[in-house]
Amino acid sequence: MTGDANDSPEETTATTDASGADTDRALDWATEPHMSPVDALMWRGDADRRLRGTISMLEIYDRLPDQRRFMAAHEWASRMAPRFRQRVIDSPFGTGTPSWSIDPEFDLHYHVRRIRLAGDGSMRELLTVCEQLAMTALDPTRPPWEATLIEGLPEGKAAYFLKAHHALTDGLGAIIGLAQLHSTSREPSPNKPQPPNPNPKNVSALDVLGRQLVEELQRLPRRAEMTAKGVWALSNPRRALRETLRYGRSVPRVAGLVSPPGSPLLARRSVSWRFSAFEVPLADLKAAAKASRASVNDVYVAGLIGGFRLYHEKLHVSVDTIPVAIPISVRRPDDAKGGNRIAVGRLAAPLNIDDPFERVLTIREQVRVARTEPAVDLFNTLGAVLAWLPGQVIAQFSGTTAGNDLQASNVPGIPWETYVAGAKVERMFPFGPLPGCAVMATMISHNGIGCIGINQDAASITEPELFADCLVDGFNEVLALAADDGSDVVPGMLTRVV
């Protein structure tokens, strides 16, 4: 969430747009005063620590940022995006959608930490520290994020680890925020907007309950309208029955109730996370996608599945398919730029297909079908009702994610060079939570590189080094398709960052 503020408050000057209006105002990002129903479901999922919704980003810097500018950048960013000063206020019963409210005791000293690696400064040591930071629960009485600057990397480099609750935003929303809060130059920017500190508001649990009841009353006309449309649809009973049956058949698929059984090799679950990081030139991903007449996302998922196939083969376990979930963005251009705007797509990923080209096409078709499921937006549709359930009850729905062996996410990243307090961001590795699944894979593109963060359950992946090697080999099988279209393209390679 870092940016780059002016070197001193005295140098701050207000900026104006072409009309002369004052532009010292906060970003139009995560401005909703309360959570959406889907955000609330993610927040309440923490009632079961296996479903803890912590998302993380690891950035590698080419140098240690200037400490004064680094802290000033966070202070500036928390004014530009006031969500980072807001805590969650829930209703007295822990039901409905919670509100966001400026924390009157917001303390940047708590949220921004600085540590030094004690060992050799290797990527493995860095990832081990990040695992421990990510597994530590966020304080629910404070704004739900923490940032850690990590020193002690080779060649004077540094790292930055940001963790936040998934209720803040989805992956695309996070990238939108980071793109606006990171600097585009190594030097300070003297004319940045300087919004004032947001004023705390006293929001009580009873205030939240009152707001929830008013919203429910406001929804009554909409629900009456939907009921009327349902009755009107009966004027054409054949079409109404056809659409009802089509939607009804789609619901179990979207909810994961008819997914293939999970692999016995990956059946165990725990609360222990393990991270690994990989990178691949984005141009090579695009070349493989072009050669296979598929999308970059299809190639990415097929590469991951190739790794799972090899891992099972090496350990002599025969499995035809595994259950995989992918997020499907339902974010519209006019949607708010924070919060979560995602639906769930379900795949029966083939581990019995040796040919990488056939594997890519199979994934491509399954993704197409998942995106066009009539009930694809099921959880957003039911969210307003589910949000009224207590966290302990919501946790019982974890079977919709706990049955997945893999969840894979691919988010467009920042295609230009970015800086933080004088340090250049060389890589950005995302790590999603483990909501009961065996492996969470997340890729973002950063300045021409596909950066892949793998979060795996330590009880599910019992041979982590072998699994990492299999991911590299399986991914490179798919990347090699770029050489099969008769061009002079040299196939790219996925590499593990160690």
Side-chain angles (χ1 to χ4, degrees):
M1 60 158 292
T2 55
D4 199 354
N6 297 323
D7 274 347
S8 68
E10 289 76 20
E11 296 175 9
T12 300
T13 57
T15 55
T16 57
D17 57 22
S19 65
D22 182 11
T23 59
D24 281 342
R25 55 179 177 264
L27 294 173
D28 180 19
W29 183 86
T31 56
E32 305 91 337
H34 53 82
M35 291 185 185
S36 72
V38 173
D39 299 340
L41 293 178
M42 291 183 172
W43 180 256
R44 298 254 165 67
D46 281 9
D48 183 340
R49 64 179 185 149
R50 296 171 303 167
L51 307 180
R52 196 169 282 161
T54 304
I55 58 175
S56 308
M57 178 75 78
L58 173 63
E59 298 183 340
I60 307 298
Y61 296 161
D62 70 341
R63 64 173 68 170
L64 185 66
D66 177 86
Q67 180 65 12
R68 185 167 65 92
R69 287 175 60 187
F70 182 75
M71 293 303 296
H74 280 81
E75 193 279 332
W76 172 81
S78 71
R79 288 185 284 117
M80 286 296 292
R83 176 69 86 228
F84 290 105
R85 293 190 177 214
Q86 293 177 337
R87 59 178 178 169
V88 177
I89 308 296
D90 213 340
S91 72
F93 310 109
T95 56
T97 55
S99 289
W100 292 101
S101 179
I102 297 295
D103 184 358
E105 299 179 6
F106 175 71
D107 183 7
L108 200 63
H109 176 72
Y110 171 85
H111 290 277
V112 183
R113 297 97 185 271
R114 183 170 179 169
I115 63 175
R116 175 179 288 274
L117 297 179
D120 59 4
S122 65
M123 189 67 177
R124 180 62 265 162
E125 183 188 8
L126 174 62
L127 290 175
T128 297
V129 170
C130 292
E131 291 162 0
Q132 295 164 344
L133 293 172
M135 287 188 288
T136 304
L138 291 159
D139 185 345
T141 67
R142 296 177 182 266
W145 66 273
E146 295 170 7
T148 305
L149 179 64
I150 305 172
E151 303 179 50
L153 275 65
E155 302 175 1
K157 295 185 179 183
Y160 175 78
F161 187 71
L162 174 66
K163 72 172 188 177
H165 201 280
H166 209 328
L168 274 171
T169 184
D170 58 21
L172 182 56
I175 292 299
I176 291 172
L178 285 173
Q180 296 180 85
L181 294 174
H182 276 56
S183 178
T184 56
S185 67
R186 198 181 289 273
E187 300 304 318
S189 302
N191 296 318
K192 279 184 175 287
Q194 297 293 337
N197 290 333
N199 293 321
K201 293 182 180 179
N202 184 21
V203 178
S204 69
L206 290 177
D207 291 333
V208 174
L209 179 61
R211 186 261 303 165
Q212 293 171 346
L213 295 175
V214 169
E215 288 177 347
E216 288 300 307
L217 290 174
Q218 291 173 341
R219 289 190 181 105
L220 290 178
R222 173 61 177 164
R223 289 171 179 167
E225 179 184 355
M226 293 176 64
T227 301
K229 287 183 178 180
V231 173
W232 176 254
L234 294 177
S235 61
N236 188 336
R238 180 176 296 179
R239 184 177 64 183
L241 178 61
R242 182 173 64 248
E243 292 180 354
T244 300
L245 291 176
R246 183 167 176 259
Y247 190 89
R249 288 192 296 267
S250 177
V251 167
R253 294 194 294 267
V254 172
L257 301 177
V258 293
S259 296
S263 166
L265 186 60
L266 312 173
R268 293 185 61 197
R269 297 291 188 270
S270 69
V271 294
S272 297
W273 295 2
R274 299 293 183 266
F275 290 171
S276 54
F278 303 81
E279 59 183 48
V280 59
L282 196 57
D284 295 329
L285 276 173
K286 292 179 178 179
K290 180 180 179 182
S292 55
R293 298 184 292 278
S295 69
V296 166
N297 187 67
D298 298 331
V299 168
Y300 162 65
V301 175
L304 294 171
I305 298 306
F308 275 79
R309 182 186 71 82
L310 292 175
Y311 184 66
H312 282 73
E313 184 179 278
K314 296 287 186 182
L315 294 179
H316 310 290
V317 176
S318 179
V319 175
D320 289 336
T321 59
I322 60 172
V324 174
I326 59 172
I328 296 175
S329 177
V330 293
R331 188 179 293 275
R332 299 183 298 268
D334 57 341
D335 280 337
K337 296 179 176 62
N340 289 273
R341 301 292 185 273
I342 53 176
V344 180
R346 308 284 180 176
L347 311 180
L351 298 196
N352 56 355
I353 298 179
D354 296 341
D355 182 7
F357 181 76
E358 183 182 352
R359 191 186 315 136
V360 172
L361 296 188
T362 301
I363 293 296
R364 183 188 69 179
E365 180 61 19
Q366 289 195 18
V367 171
R368 184 193 66 79
V369 171
R371 292 183 181 278
T372 56
E373 282 281 4
V376 67
D377 208 18
L378 176 67
F379 292 106
N380 288 284
T381 302
L382 296 180
V385 176
L386 295 176
W388 281 96
L389 300 177
Q392 292 82 358
V393 177
I394 291 174
Q396 302 306 310
F397 290 93
S398 64
T400 60
T401 58
N404 295 318
D405 287 339
L406 169 66
Q407 289 189 220
S409 178
N410 172 25
V411 181
I414 304 175
W416 55 80
E417 292 185 349
T418 56
Y419 299 85
V420 175
K424 180 181 177 180
V425 181
E426 293 186 335
R427 292 290 186 272
M428 302 173 68
F429 294 104
F431 297 96
L434 281 179
C437 58
V439 176
M440 171 70 77
T442 312
M443 181 174 75
I444 64 169
S445 55
H446 177 246
N447 204 18
I449 300 294
C451 301
I452 302 173
I454 301 291
N455 184 6
Q456 61 203 39
D457 191 312
S460 302
I461 304 297
T462 56
E463 300 287 344
E465 293 303 315
L466 175 63
F467 183 66
D469 291 342
C470 290
L471 284 178
V472 169
D473 293 341
F475 218 97
N476 289 338
E477 284 180 349
V478 176
L479 292 176
L481 294 173
D484 295 341
D485 62 352
S487 68
D488 297 329
V489 174
V490 177
M493 299 287 287
L494 177 80
T495 57
R496 185 182 181 189
V497 182
V498 295

